[in-house]
Amino acid sequence: MKFNTRTIHGGQQETDPAFGAVMPPIYQTTTYRQSTPGGHKGFEYSRSGNPTRAALERSLASIENGNFGLAFSSGLAAIDAVIKLLKSGDEVISTNDLYGGSYRLFTKIFEKMGVKFHFVGMERAEAIEEFINENTKMVWVETPTNPMMNIIDINAMSQIAKKHNLLLAVDNTFATPYLQQPLELGADIVMHSATKYLGGHSDVVMGGLVVKEKELAERLYFIQNSSGAVCGPQDSFLVLRGIKTLHLRMQRHCENGEAVARFLKAHPKVKKVYWPGFEDHPNHAIAKQQMKGFGGMVSFSTAEGTLESAVKFVEKLKVFTLAESLGGVESLAGHPASMTHASIPKEERAKTGIVDSLIRLSVGIEDEEDLLDDLKQALE
Ligand SMILES: Cc1ncc(COP(=O)(O)O)c(C=O)c1O
């Protein structure tokens, strides 16, 4: 099946055995009757497995071109499970410009447990080589990055990772498998905050992992079951439903994202626009090669360059909502320095360009004209 068909049917070939329901039923149950000890129909206890979650996990594996999917109670819970593959003394090389919550998990939880992280600018994949030593076990890549929209060459990174026998994990939240498929480019693990585009309607918090290798899937499943950060059946159903329109929504997110990026670039009250579709974006050629489109995320800084100018702008918006998160059907605006990335120290933020006048837009699927009119009135 091709991608659009897989968003709807991928991993869903088995219909409901009870009544043939077309949509997977929400199995709102903790446990399952056994005829004799161990005599069950594949499910024993809903932390270990639940039929609705299993349907979602098969869908995740299908749309990412992997063999095994795992669903978690949040994106961070999924990242937490990945880092638990490591032990004290191991080292990770991570993108330096990444979601603030990932940075907080790495530095405030796992560094305390002895895992060491190197935060490195990855615009040139080879830049990581000087940080590799015998303790290095994993490379953590986010591309496009949140919020600076930097692009990292997944294929080049996978070649370096393979040469040094390192696991390559890619946070594919911003791009989604509609635009970019990291496993096809050589990654070992794909991670999602399914809260964002996969769910797509800002009504559920969830995380996902997809891998190709059975042995790696088994290790991650052991962590998922042992640590227990699983999602419930109702939330699994919502994300499964969201995925069915992923391709349609992403197409419109890309169209509106481009219109917004070009409008902002031409506006005198805007200093710089960060969007990988511009030809002068430093890694535009790689974006074009590894992505099918440039997505709906756009960041920009105000010409005035002050915190006040950014705050005033977001307060004036009427169609865009000032709120955390991204990837829903509705357009959102955020101020990374005080919201999503506040957990990164100011000096670290400044190094990657997250200045006080930076605004991040998650461009939704409303009418383009309404979005541009809203940005225009707020800028003016
Ligand atoms: C790129 C990225 N990765 C991971 C996360 C964490 O996901 P969650 O909020 O579902 O825990 C987010 C959340 O904003 C994100 O933007």
Side-chain angles (χ1 to χ4, degrees):
M1 288 189 284
K2 297 207 166 47
F3 184 81
N4 296 350
T5 312
R6 276 189 278 133
T7 63
I8 297 161
H9 299 290
Q12 310 305 307
Q13 290 82 351
E14 295 162 27
T15 46
D16 160 42
F19 300 107
V22 168
M23 281 301 287
I26 301 167
Y27 283 94
Q28 193 73 48
T29 184
T30 308
T31 193
Y32 307 81
R33 188 160 62 86
Q34 306 193 7
S35 53
T36 183
H40 54 76
K41 296 178 175 167
F43 296 94
E44 309 164 68
Y45 183 61
S46 281
R47 170 165 36 74
S48 315
N50 170 283
T52 320
R53 193 177 94 217
L56 170 65
E57 291 176 331
R58 290 194 304 270
S59 167
L60 290 172
S62 170
I63 59 174
E64 278 290 3
N65 261 331
N67 295 321
F68 304 93
L70 298 107
F72 293 82
S73 54
S74 70
L76 282 176
I79 302 175
D80 181 84
V82 173
I83 307 299
K84 282 178 178 160
L85 290 167
L86 308 178
K87 59 178 188 333
S88 174
D90 288 347
E91 299 189 11
V92 179
I93 303 173
S94 164
T95 312
N96 64 348
D97 162 29
L98 80 169
Y99 171 56
S102 309
Y103 179 86
R104 181 178 54 202
L105 176 66
F106 294 166
T107 56
K108 296 283 192 303
I109 305 286
F110 284 106
E111 282 200 342
K112 236 173 39 191
M113 297 180 182
V115 180
K116 187 170 172 189
F117 292 83
H118 300 271
F119 295 96
V120 179
M122 295 182 173
E123 290 70 46
R124 279 187 329 103
E126 314 83 72
I128 73 162
E129 297 216 72
E130 65 177 286
F131 297 90
I132 298 175
N133 61 49
E134 70 274 18
N135 296 323
T136 313
K137 296 286 153 50
M138 185 182 288
V139 182
W140 184 268
V141 163
E142 195 180 292
T143 182
T145 61
N146 179 1
M148 298 312 296
M149 307 303 298
N150 288 313
I151 298 292
I152 296 162
D153 186 337
I154 299 173
N155 190 250
M157 204 53 96
S158 94
Q159 291 182 22
I160 297 171
K162 282 190 174 60
K163 188 166 90 189
H164 296 276
N165 206 17
L166 312 175
L167 280 175
L168 174 62
V170 177
D171 183 337
N172 203 27
T173 300
F174 267 34
T176 83
Y178 175 78
L179 297 178
Q180 163 178 292
Q181 302 197 332
L183 296 180
E184 293 299 292
L185 297 166
D188 300 291
I189 303 173
V190 177
M191 176 265 151
H192 277 281
S193 169
T195 313
K196 311 296 172 357
Y197 288 105
L198 299 189
H201 297 76
S202 303
D203 52 10
V204 61
V205 173
M206 189 180 292
L209 298 177
V210 181
V211 301
K212 281 199 171 180
E213 295 297 323
K214 186 157 189 263
E215 194 252 323
L216 185 56
E218 282 169 354
R219 286 168 66 201
L220 287 166
Y221 174 71
F222 182 80
I223 295 167
Q224 183 195 40
N225 189 36
S226 303
S227 289
V230 293
C231 50
Q234 185 95 31
D235 286 351
S236 301
F237 174 85
L238 284 173
V239 173
L240 205 40
R241 186 168 70 167
I243 288 172
K244 287 180 192 290
T245 56
L246 177 66
H247 52 304
L248 295 174
R249 289 184 285 105
M250 287 311 293
Q251 202 177 342
R252 182 64 67 86
H253 282 297
C254 289
E255 288 164 13
N256 284 354
E258 172 160 11
V260 164
R262 294 197 187 283
F263 166 81
L264 290 172
K265 197 171 191 184
H267 201 286
K269 295 214 167 164
V270 171
K271 184 173 176 199
K272 189 158 168 54
V273 185
Y274 302 89
W275 179 68
F278 290 132
E279 286 191 354
D280 59 0
H281 181 285
N283 271 349
H284 174 69
I286 294 163
K288 246 175 109 173
Q289 204 178 309
Q290 72 185 16
M291 299 171 76
K292 203 172 106 182
F294 304 109
M297 296 301 298
V298 181
S299 297
F300 73 98
S301 53
T302 62
E304 233 175 89
T306 59
L307 171 69
E308 293 69 34
S309 62
V311 170
K312 215 159 149 193
F313 170 80
V314 291
E315 284 176 353
K316 292 279 178 205
L317 291 167
K318 294 192 172 89
V319 180
F320 280 81
T321 303
L322 174 61
E324 303 258 355
S325 204
L326 61 106
V329 289
E330 67 292 304
S331 291
L332 300 181
H335 181 243
S338 65
M339 296 166 74
T340 44
H341 292 67
S343 52
I344 301 178
K346 195 175 161 81
E347 323 78 73
E348 287 298 317
R349 284 201 308 262
K351 278 188 215 160
T352 55
I354 309 177
V355 293
D356 285 349
S357 61
L358 189 80
I359 292 151
R360 188 190 75 183
L361 300 176
S362 169
V363 183
I365 63 171
E366 300 94 336
D367 276 309
E368 176 189 312
E369 205 180 324
D370 291 330
L371 298 179
L372 299 189
D373 282 349
D374 193 31
L375 296 171
K376 192 162 169 225
Q377 65 79 23
L379 282 167
E380 277 163 12

